[in-house]
Amino acid sequence: MIYNQIFESGRKIFIVLIDPEFHTVDSVRKTADTATIAGTDLILVGGSLTSRPVDNLIEAIKDSTDCPVLLFPGNLFQLSDKADGILLSSMISGRNPEYLIGNHVLISQFLKKSGLEIIPTGYLLIDGHPLSSVEYISNTRPIPADKTDIIAATALAGEQLGLKLIYLEAGSGAARPVKEHAITAIKNIVTLPLIAGGGIKTPADIRLLYKSGANGVVVGSAVENDLRILKSLARVKLEF
Ligand code: 1GP
C-alpha cells in the first residue's frame, strides 16, 4: 500500500506534481525519468484546467518510472484507472459543497471499480498570494496564512472525520509558500502525515518545511520550468 510505504514511512518525502495541461507523452516521459533519477518518492498528476483524458500520459509516466503515481484531479476529466491511486481530497478549508462531497459522490462508483488505492485527504487552501487558480476555480476562500488557530482546528477536524493525510496548499505559483508556524501548529495536535505545496522553488524552501514538521513537499511549477533543479530539490530530504 502506497499510504503505508510512503506516508507512514517516517521518512521525508519529495513529491513532483505533473500538470497534464503542460505535457505531451514525450515530455511527461522525460519529467518522470528525471524525477526518478533525482530520487523522487511519488508523482502526482493533476491540475486546475486540464479537460482531456489523461490515460495516455499516465501510461507514459508508468512506463518511465517505478515511483508510485497518484491522481490529484482538479476536475472530473482527470480520472484514470491507469494510476496506482488517488489523493481523494475534500477541500475542508472551503465551504463549497461540490469540493467537500459533491464530486466525490459522482466518482464513487468509478473509484470502486477502478481498484485505485484511495487516500482520503484533507485539502487546506491557505492564502499564498496572489489569487490562486485553485481558489478561483474552486470558488472557495483560502484560510488567511496568519490564522494559525483556524488552520490547526481545520486539520484537526479533518483527522476527526477520518481523513488520512493533510495537504496544505498555498496555490500553484504562490508568492508565499505555507508558513512554518502553520505546520508546527498542526503537527502539535494532529498525528496524520502532512504534505505542503505551492510556490516551493528552492532547497531552502524545502528545508524550512521539513524542519517545521512537514512529512512531504510537493513541487510543480519550478520543475516544469527547469528539470535541472530536480536533483538539488529532491536531495534535501537526505539531510533529515
Ligand atoms: C502543489 O499547487 C502546488 O501543492 C504546486 O504548486 O506549481 O507552485 O509548485 P507549484
Side-chain angles (χ1 to χ4, degrees):
M1 298 282 280
I2 297 164
Y3 183 76
N4 311 104
Q5 282 164 12
I6 305 277
F7 293 111
E8 286 195 320
S9 67
R11 289 182 281 118
K12 296 295 187 189
I13 312 159
F14 180 75
I15 304 168
V16 169
L17 173 64
I18 294 180
D19 186 338
E21 189 64 16
F22 306 124
H23 282 280
T24 61
V25 163
D26 285 341
S27 70
V28 91
R29 276 186 208 281
K30 190 161 180 219
T31 302
D33 188 45
T34 315
T36 312
I37 294 167
T40 299
D41 299 286
L42 184 67
I43 292 177
L44 298 182
V45 181
S48 293
L49 269 189
T50 301
S51 56
R52 63 188 162 102
V54 293
D55 278 357
N56 63 337
L57 290 183
I58 292 182
E59 280 174 333
I61 296 170
K62 294 285 300 167
D63 277 352
S64 317
T65 182
D66 291 332
C67 275
V69 179
L70 298 181
L71 303 176
F72 180 51
N75 59 48
L76 300 180
F77 295 103
Q78 298 168 27
L79 292 177
S80 167
D81 57 6
K82 311 292 181 204
D84 298 305
I86 178 169
L87 288 192
L88 186 61
S89 301
S90 182
M91 197 162 189
I92 55 177
S93 57
R95 300 295 178 266
N96 180 341
E98 300 309 321
Y99 286 79
L100 283 164
I101 181 66
N103 288 328
H104 311 69
V105 173
L106 298 179
I107 67 173
S108 61
Q109 296 289 1
F110 167 83
L111 290 182
K112 193 170 173 62
K113 286 188 199 117
S114 70
L116 291 168
E117 178 178 339
I118 296 172
I119 302 179
T121 301
Y123 188 52
L124 280 72
L125 180 61
I126 313 295
D127 187 10
H129 192 76
L131 179 72
S132 62
S133 301
V134 59
E135 174 179 353
Y136 182 78
I137 298 277
S138 68
N139 199 15
T140 65
R141 297 175 73 185
I143 304 176
D146 56 352
K147 300 285 184 195
T148 310
D149 49 351
I150 299 179
I151 295 171
T154 305
L156 181 58
E159 180 174 63
Q160 290 166 345
L161 280 167
L163 301 173
K164 295 285 183 238
L165 175 71
I166 298 296
Y167 190 150
L168 282 189
E169 171 72 86
S172 183
R176 298 192 285 257
V178 170
K179 291 198 178 134
E180 310 88 79
H181 59 74
I183 294 175
T184 314
I186 292 176
K187 290 304 271 188
N188 280 339
I189 51 166
V190 170
T191 58
L192 296 177
L194 180 154
I195 60 177
I200 300 171
K201 294 193 257 325
T202 66
D205 294 337
I206 294 176
R207 200 167 287 122
L208 213 54
L209 294 167
Y210 283 154
K211 266 193 195 152
S212 320
N215 301 80
V217 296
V218 184
V219 182
S221 320
V223 168
E224 304 279 6
N225 294 339
D226 184 2
L227 276 180
R228 289 168 305 179
I229 64 165
L230 252 171
K231 201 167 175 185
S232 63
L233 300 182
R235 58 183 302 121
V236 176
K237 64 181 176 176
L238 304 176
E239 299 167 20
F240 291 82

